[in-house]
Amino acid sequence: MKPIWDAVVGFGPQVFVWLGDNVYGDNKRPFRVFGRDRTVGPWKNAPRFYPSTEEELRRRYQLARAQPGYARLRETAQVIGTWDDHDYGLNDAGKEFSGKVITQRLLLDFLDEPEDSKRRKQAGVYASYMFGPEGKRVKVILLDTRYHRDPLLSDGTILGDPQWQWLERELHGPQSEITIIGSSIQVVSNLSATTGPLFYVESWARFPRERERLFRLIDSSKRPGVIFISGDVHFGEITRFDCGAQYPSYDVTSSGLTQSVDNAVPEVFQPLMRLLAVLTPTTMRVLSPNCLYKSCTTGQPNFGAIEIDWNAVPLRIKLELKDVEGRSVHSVEFPISELQFSDGHPIKRQSHTFQRHCTLETELPLLTRYRLALMLFVTIAVFVVAVVLLAVTCLSNFTKSSKKSKKE
């Protein structure tokens, strides 16, 4: 596989942002339903994932730093970042993970964080940065969605009170033309609502009160130009939510720098994965005839890119996903003025009426929402019926042949 670092360096970013799963710091037991160590199924008696030792995780960071392409990137761009579950230390882990103090130190070492940095003294790796001169300022806010996160399905907190207070100060602080909020998990999309019960992924939508609080905070801050960037799901897409804050909320999900959906399956099954991406119901994904793939997603290794044209009148911003060749997979371009508060009324969700970029995935009709699961169950049922009919036919023919042989 061609390293994606060549394409990233070729793009020439001024700032590069890690959004988590920067290395895989946990280990995975075999997929096993039966036997001594059963990792899946109703008789599961051992966790599928378990943490690495401190030495193992440090070695994996060293291997990542030693990548020639990444070394070149560090020479030309400022590298910043946060973490997700696998470099935090354990798949899907939250505040209960006992090794987080050690893994925080190792992540900050990997990012060359100064020894006297506040990030080394606080509980969590959240941070903010301001780039550019007056009139061309870009603020980057990196969230920590792991250190204080309550268990999944609890609808508790993702950030925890200290980080919420910090985020409020950051959003109410010095203004910038663009504010990029980096979250390791998706903010806008709720993929689990349409892929369950087949599989689930983490997102802010699984903590609905926290997501609502995030949009209310953006509104109360009156901060223009907020854009989200996210990772985690092993594919790339651009989503948009018009009914959260008082202007459209874009989320550029770039996931697949280290792991991607298509590379996890044999090449012969990759067209099937793309078909499933088309069939998966979505209300938030930005669709365009200019996408490289019909679904406007990519399961190939990819990276996200944000370009701002400071010379354009009005100022324009381009959100884009690129592949290992540096080709554009999907892009959205619009005036920055679209991300401004206005005196008009924000778009409101209309009950029982479908609104693109507004209707939540959980509000879709059941037959639409669970389309994938229904298709799979119907396919399995047809297959089982076909096998049974084939077996009955074969048995019937065998019985007839036996009777005929006896008569002869």
Side-chain angles (χ1 to χ4, degrees), residues 247-284:
Y247 56 78
S249 298
Y250 284 91
D251 188 355
V252 184
T253 299
S254 170
S255 183
L257 197 65
T258 56
Q259 298 282 337
S260 63
V261 170
D262 283 6
N263 287 345
V265 299
E267 187 173 352
V268 67
F269 291 120
Q270 290 180 6
L272 175 61
M273 301 302 292
R274 291 171 191 158
L275 175 61
L276 291 175
V278 173
L279 295 175
T280 302
T282 175
T283 63
M284 303 297 174

Side-chain angles (χ1 to χ4, degrees), residues 73-86:
L73 176 68
R74 291 173 59 225
E75 293 174 355
T76 59
Q78 181 172 343
V79 176
I80 59 178
T82 184
W83 58 14
D84 197 32
D85 51 349
H86 293 288

Side-chain angles (χ1 to χ4, degrees), residues 40-51:
V40 294
W43 304 282
K44 175 179 176 180
N45 65 353
R48 184 86 194 280
F49 293 87
Y50 62 97

Side-chain angles (χ1 to χ4, degrees), residues 99-114:
K100 57 189 177 184
V101 173
I102 293 173
T103 56
Q104 176 172 343
R105 171 167 47 82
L106 295 177
L107 171 68
L108 298 180
D109 289 345
F110 173 69
L111 295 172
D112 296 317
E113 195 74 22

Side-chain angles (χ1 to χ4, degrees), residues 8 11 18 44 49 58 68 85 90 99 104 107 110 118 147 154 158 174 197 224 243-244 302 310 321 342 382 405:
V8 175
F11 175 68
W18 285 106
K44 175 179 176 180
F49 293 87
R58 181 181 293 109
D85 51 349
L90 189 63
Q104 176 172 343
L107 171 68
F110 173 69
K118 292 181 179 179
Y147 204 100
S154 68
I158 292 178
C243 297
N302 65 90
W310 298 110
L321 295 171
S342 65
V382 170
S405 298

Side-chain angles (χ1 to χ4, degrees), residues 46 198 209 308:
L198 303 179
R209 288 186 297 182
I308 304 168

Side-chain angles (χ1 to χ4, degrees), residues 380-392:
I380 293 174
V382 170
F383 176 77
V384 170
V385 170
V387 169
V388 170
L389 290 176
L390 180 62
V392 169

